[in-house]
């Protein structure tokens, strides 16, 4: 039994510490790909922030907003 009809990996350049730019790039790429409904889309490790360790605590506070944006994107395009 399959849980997802399709799976996809998104590779993208990451601007270290720039949540706004990374989120915009992620959304642009997902929309451009037009994945089939039910696709599990996997993003790179620390895609939203990069390995910006000195600012990680401050960047972590962006998580609720990032999750809300991803939720809306997934809902709109019927992806996971």
């Amino acid at each position: 039994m399959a849980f997802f009809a399709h799976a996809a990996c998104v590779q993208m350049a990451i601007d270290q510490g720039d949540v706004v730019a990374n989120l915009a790039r992620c959304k642009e790429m997902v929309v451009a790909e037009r994945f089939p409904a039910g696709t599990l889309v996997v993003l790179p490790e620390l895609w939203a922030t990069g390995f910006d360790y000195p600012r990680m605590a401050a960047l972590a506070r962006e998580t609720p907003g990032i999750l809300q944006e991803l939720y809306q994107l997934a809902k709109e395009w019927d992806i996971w």
Side-chain angles (χ1 to χ4, degrees):
M1 178 170 100
F3 291 103
F4 303 102
H6 305 277
C9 295
V10 173
Q11 290 295 327
M12 56 184 264
I14 298 170
D15 293 332
Q16 186 151 310
D18 194 341
V19 173
V20 172
N22 294 325
L23 183 57
R25 184 174 300 115
C26 172
K27 290 167 72 173
E28 288 171 9
M29 292 179 76
V30 168
V31 169
E33 287 297 323
R34 300 196 184 280
F35 295 113
T39 299
L40 171 66
V41 180
V42 180
L43 302 172
E45 179 180 16
L46 295 175
W47 67 271
T49 63
F51 291 91
D52 193 352
Y53 293 122
R55 297 183 338 137
M56 198 58 69
L59 292 169
R61 289 190 286 276
E62 303 285 333
T63 301
I66 294 168
L67 292 176
Q68 184 61 37
E69 292 280 342
L70 291 177
Y71 171 78
Q72 291 299 325
L73 184 65
K75 183 177 175 184
E76 180 179 349
W77 292 97
D78 193 20
I79 57 177
W80 293 92

